[in-house]
Amino acid sequence: MRGFLACAMLAAMTSAAMTSTATAQVSDDAVRIGVLTDLSSWGRDNSGPGSVEAAKMAVEEFGPTVLGKPIEIISADHQMKTDVGVQIVRGWFDNGKVDAVVDIPNSGIAIAVHNMVRERNKIALLSGPGASSLTDELCSPNTVHFTYDTYALSKVTASAVIKEGGKSWYFITADYAFGQQLEKDATRFINEMGGKVLGGVKHPTNTADFSSFALQAQSSKSDVVAFANAGQDTDNAIKQSGEFGLVQGGQKLVGLLMFDTDVHAIGLKAAQGTYMTTAAYWNMDEATRAWSKKFYERTKVMPTMIHTGVYGSVLHYLKGIKAAGTDDPAKVMAKMRELPIEDIFVHGGKLREDGRVIRDMYLAKVKSPEQSKEPWDYLEIIKTVKGEDAFRPVSESKCPLLKK
């Protein structure tokens, strides 16, 4: 009798293992994640090689395999060119057996890939782009917008600056999808809070000379000069505005999208007092400091919110695959929406049906050189804004995936 029971138990265990193996399915016997980023242009410092390392750190934290299959990270440079980015991703899907595309700084490229991902039934894990339209009228069941967007950046920053007396605004805006969306979203919140936009000027990306734009902003006599651009464009614009004495003349400078690397490039002397909104900061607590120092050892920069977003989105994606027992995109996305988002930088985050990750955002002010106590100690966190208050509410959304 004892032998019979042992055999029965062994048979049951074998059957369960076979069932588990049958249900745990990974296409092409590997999970392949492609980091599409900027390795050579004006967004390199705030994404670029750091995004590749952040994805690798997520895999290391999760483990080298998922559902018994290896996890592979590959990367490519989209050069800030939409046609180049689309060609890379098409090749990844057609020949490289890539399951998910990560990062994609530059909203124009991100929108093109976001549409391709929906058509090909893959997954996009977006950390780099900011256009809020990605989870509004353009929303897709295959996209995760993990880190920030123009809606949250504009709302958090504009609200705070107007409360401090910055009523009249002038924009220096990058002339592409992200910059235009950022100015549009900021203008809305400025108007709603009783402020006024006096004007603005648009510039091509990767501009070296901002002198004429800075002079136009100065002559507007606005309370606030807002930079709706990113990367080296932001660095150059703020540096040159400082050289023309805008702050000394009483104007406030606002970086609607700024990163720690921008402050590093500009220097505290020129950037001090600038307002910005961020989704993460390296020096928040012991856990963020430990992770960031490990990241610094690999990259020689402290992580930006894009880097931490790549890390977090890849980690959550792998958790979704594990929970789903498959890498089937629909099932993985369902699990990613079901699971709370927990990592070093995000606590209690939630992936909404429209693809928007609802997470806390932080209003920050750049420290003066005297306030900085150590290298990369650049930001004073002024306020924590809950995700529900920072991002577009369901009631305002044009996304058909949200049940209102």
Side-chain angles (χ1 to χ4, degrees):
M1 184 70 177
R2 224 177 251 173
F4 173 79
L5 286 173
C7 289
M9 289 174 65
L10 179 61
M13 291 169 64
T14 303
S15 175
M18 290 175 64
T19 301
S20 174
T21 302
T23 56
Q25 297 180 357
V26 173
S27 58
D28 304 310
D29 291 322
V31 172
R32 295 181 180 86
I33 300 169
V35 183
L36 184 65
T37 190
D38 176 17
L39 297 172
S40 59
S41 189
W42 50 266
R44 184 184 188 278
D45 291 345
N46 53 49
S47 55
S51 290
V52 181
E53 289 302 320
K56 291 177 180 178
M57 288 175 70
V59 174
E60 290 166 14
E61 181 175 327
F62 182 84
T65 64
V66 60
L67 303 180
K69 303 296 182 181
I71 304 164
E72 299 176 7
I73 300 291
I74 63 174
S75 61
D77 181 8
H78 62 39
Q79 303 172 39
M80 288 293 176
K81 299 175 182 177
T82 301
D83 58 338
V84 173
V86 168
Q87 183 178 4
I88 290 168
V89 175
R90 186 177 291 118
W92 279 352
F93 290 165
D94 290 345
N95 307 311
K97 300 178 180 178
V98 166
D99 301 293
V101 183
V102 183
D103 195 13
I104 322 185
N106 185 303
S107 291
I109 301 171
I111 289 169
V113 174
H114 158 89
N115 291 332
M116 190 190 308
V117 162
R118 178 166 44 194
E119 293 165 4
R120 298 294 190 93
N121 193 30
K122 302 288 186 174
I123 289 178
L125 306 169
L126 304 179
S127 182
S132 61
S133 58
L134 284 159
T135 54
D136 194 26
E137 65 269 22
L138 301 180
C139 70
S140 162
N142 294 66
T143 290
V144 177
H145 205 179
F146 195 87
T147 307
Y148 67 96
D149 64 25
T150 53
Y151 185 102
L153 294 176
S154 301
K155 183 178 182 181
V156 174
T157 308
S159 299
V161 174
I162 287 176
K163 285 178 182 176
E164 289 207 357
K167 297 292 186 182
S168 60
W169 291 58
Y170 188 91
F171 284 94
I172 296 178
T173 300
D175 193 11
Y176 73 112
F178 165 76
Q180 295 161 11
Q181 184 77 56
L182 189 53
E183 180 179 334
K184 178 182 176 183
D185 286 342
T187 298
R188 171 202 162 169
F189 294 115
I190 292 164
N191 291 335
E192 285 183 358
M193 296 195 66
K196 184 178 180 181
V197 176
L198 300 183
V201 61
K202 290 183 170 57
H203 67 84
T205 57
N206 210 15
T207 296
D209 185 3
F210 278 86
S211 57
S212 65
F213 306 129
L215 287 170
Q216 289 178 65
Q218 188 176 48
S219 64
S220 75
K221 301 191 183 303
S222 61
D223 299 328
V224 179
V225 178
F227 303 96
N229 48 20
Q232 290 177 6
D233 287 336
T234 303
D235 302 348
N236 290 331
I238 292 180
K239 272 184 183 177
Q240 291 172 40
S241 295
E243 290 169 4
F244 282 101
L246 271 66
V247 174
Q248 291 89 333
Q251 291 177 299
K252 297 178 186 291
L253 303 186
V254 169
L256 288 172
L257 176 60
M258 279 186 70
F259 302 96
D260 308 48
T261 46
D262 294 321
V263 179
H264 187 75
I266 297 166
L268 288 179
K269 185 176 179 181
Q272 62 182 310
T274 302
Y275 287 89
M276 57 186 281
T277 295
T278 185
Y281 183 46
W282 74 271
N283 202 15
M284 297 288 285
D285 55 43
E286 287 302 322
T288 62
R289 281 190 283 274
W291 190 95
S292 299
K293 288 177 180 178
K294 182 179 178 183
F295 180 88
Y296 182 86
E297 290 172 2
R298 298 182 179 212
T299 64
K300 304 309 174 189
V301 296
M302 283 299 184
T304 67
M305 64 173 165
I306 291 181
H307 299 144
T308 65
V310 169
Y311 152 77
S313 61
V314 170
L315 187 62
H316 194 60
Y317 172 61
L318 295 174
K319 290 177 181 178
I321 293 175
K322 182 179 179 180
T326 176
D327 65 350
D328 175 79
K331 293 177 181 178
V332 173
M333 287 293 294
K335 284 298 180 182
M336 290 175 72
R337 295 187 192 99
E338 180 183 313
L339 296 171
I341 300 173
E342 288 288 336
D343 60 51
I344 298 296
F345 296 91
V346 182
H347 303 293
K350 178 71 177 175
L351 174 59
R352 214 163 55 182
E353 292 291 334
D354 58 354
R356 178 66 260 162
V357 168
I358 305 302
R359 56 183 292 172
D360 291 350
M361 298 292 285
Y362 305 95
L363 176 69
K365 192 174 183 180
V366 178
K367 292 182 175 182
S368 67
E370 296 74 29
Q371 291 173 313
S372 179
K373 304 301 182 187
E374 60 181 312
W376 293 89
D377 177 26
Y378 295 152
L379 301 183
E380 176 189 358
I381 302 300
I382 296 173
K383 184 181 181 181
T384 300
V385 181
K386 291 296 181 184
E388 294 78 6
D389 297 323
F391 291 98
R392 190 190 316 275
V394 172
S395 60
E396 290 184 13
S397 177
K398 300 173 187 172
C399 176
L401 299 173
L402 292 173
K403 298 174 183 177
K404 302 178 184 179

